[in-house]
Amino acid sequence: MKKIFYSLFLSALLLAVLPVSAEIVANGDEWRVYDEQYSEGIEFEYRDVLVPHTHWGTDGWLPGCGGLMPLSILFNVEYGAEMGAKMSGKSKAQWPEAVKVFFEGDTDGGFADMFYGINMEAKWKNCYTGAENELSKWLNFDLSFSDEKTFQPFLLDGNVDNPVSMEDSVDHFQLYEGTLADMVGGSCGLSVPIVGDLCSLVHFNFELDGKMYVEMFGSRIGLDEKQERSIFSDNQYLVIDPPVVGTVMVIPVFYESKVYYNIVITLTVTITIRILELQFPIPINIEPVRKEKLWKYNSQEVSFNFPAIFMENRAHKFADTMPGDEDYWEFDVENIGTRAMEAKVVSDDSNFIVIPDTLNIAPGEKAAVTVFFKPYDVGKQNGVVTIYSNDPVEPVTKVSLFGYSSENDTQWTQVIEGDEPRWEVGTAAAGCSISVIGGE
């Protein structure tokens, strides 16, 4: 009995010390042990560089206004065409019905940005007065599109129903304004009395309107090509078979998105004949980029640990026990996995009592379970102890129990049932005789 009390004390101590993370839930006459685990942080990133983002120029004023320098020059140009996205978060596995792997994004863990176009500045500064002037109004302009967006990654923002989109535009950027005479550098030789030079009557205005629209859609998280399984992100999880050998599951995953680019530049040439007060706007649409691409982000690995149950004995036959008396048997449940194992221990027959009814076993440790055989009726007794655990490979483990109960210390019933013969010492008159019951 000391051994039994020691086992019960050790089990209670383990339950008090080990953290409880799984959830044991009754499901009709059975039980389910639900567990989950988060992976380390993961990050997917992709940049689509059409024209490298480049900055060139003096940055500051050169050569400066030190000494006897009369003026200083500033010239900078920035251009490029690129877009990128980054997503961060964690993966979560849930089991035991199946290992479902979810991906949860960090708050504001999704970030996308874009830049297209050219930006230029060209100025000179009078070192004596400090006044700044444009070298030419045609060398100072901003024809760039840029935008950025923060979003929640791995959720519905990434699918075809609710894409991540960015848009920017430039409106009415004036490229040139002047008369036909200004364009040709003087009179064109056509003049009308009173009216004057005809080239001075024709006025031109060149304006540029631009719009850029970028959309990420159809995003999905999938497994590597060997496993040939992938699920679009609107289903929110992947179903993966747990490892049969080994209790650390490493999953190579990837992320990909379809990206749609649409850039439209509209050049509007407006011709105005002043004397007639007539205007002729002529719009010209230019589509420098209009295409669809598939982004494949950098692959990642997520890993999870699982418990694994191990038992040397999965069947036991108790000694012949009279009703009201008891026999007991103790067996070990070992966790050979890499994550704490939690379990519910249930007997299907009231003649067999199990203690304890819950287990919490650290990786590499074991716990003792004691089964008491306390028969109420005579005859054969068969029972099953079922261990429901958070082992994803073997969530249900059964132990078969066999017992026999007789009314007294003789083995009559066993002989009748055809078991092995037993010796019995009887008394006859004043002497003793030995007989073999069931023997030859």
Side-chain angles (χ1 to χ4, degrees), residues 354-376:
V354 291
I355 298 178
D357 64 348
T358 57
L359 301 173
N360 192 353
I361 310 171
E365 300 295 329
K366 62 178 66 175
V369 176
T370 304
V371 183
F372 292 91
F373 176 44
K374 298 188 69 172
Y376 296 95

Side-chain angles (χ1 to χ4, degrees), residues 412 415 420-426 433-440:
W412 282 106
V415 173
E420 292 295 324
R422 298 289 298 273
W423 295 97
E424 180 183 284
V425 178
S433 64
I434 299 176
S435 60
V436 178
I437 300 174
E440 295 180 357

Side-chain angles (χ1 to χ4, degrees), residues 42-46 222-225 251-256 296-302:
I42 57 175
E43 188 173 278
F44 294 99
E45 184 175 7
Y46 187 88
L223 304 180
D224 63 357
E225 293 181 358
I251 310 171
V253 294
F254 66 86
Y255 195 82
E256 65 180 27
K296 290 191 175 181
Y297 299 70
N298 56 308
S299 297
Q300 295 282 292
E301 285 187 347
V302 293

Side-chain angles (χ1 to χ4, degrees), residues 196-229:
D197 184 57
L198 290 180
C199 290
S200 300
L201 300 178
V202 181
H203 184 269
F204 286 89
N205 185 29
F206 292 83
E207 284 187 337
L208 196 66
D209 293 272
K211 179 180 178 181
M212 181 180 67
Y213 176 74
V214 181
E215 179 181 82
M216 292 187 298
F217 63 99
S219 302
R220 68 173 182 171
I221 292 175
L223 304 180
D224 63 357
E225 293 181 358
K226 279 188 176 181
Q227 293 168 300
E228 295 180 350
R229 288 176 296 175

Side-chain angles (χ1 to χ4, degrees), residues 202-270:
V202 181
H203 184 269
F204 286 89
N205 185 29
F206 292 83
E207 284 187 337
L208 196 66
D209 293 272
K211 179 180 178 181
M212 181 180 67
Y213 176 74
V214 181
E215 179 181 82
M216 292 187 298
F217 63 99
S219 302
R220 68 173 182 171
I221 292 175
L223 304 180
D224 63 357
E225 293 181 358
K226 279 188 176 181
Q227 293 168 300
E228 295 180 350
R229 288 176 296 175
S230 59
I231 298 178
F232 278 81
S233 59
D234 53 352
N235 288 327
Q236 290 301 300
Y237 62 84
L238 303 171
V239 180
I240 302 175
D241 293 331
V244 178
V245 179
T247 60
V248 177
M249 183 170 71
V250 179
I251 310 171
V253 294
F254 66 86
Y255 195 82
E256 65 180 27
S257 300
K258 292 180 181 178
V259 181
Y260 173 74
Y261 295 90
N262 186 16
I263 302 176
V264 178
I265 306 296
T266 303
L267 175 63
T268 303
V269 181
T270 302

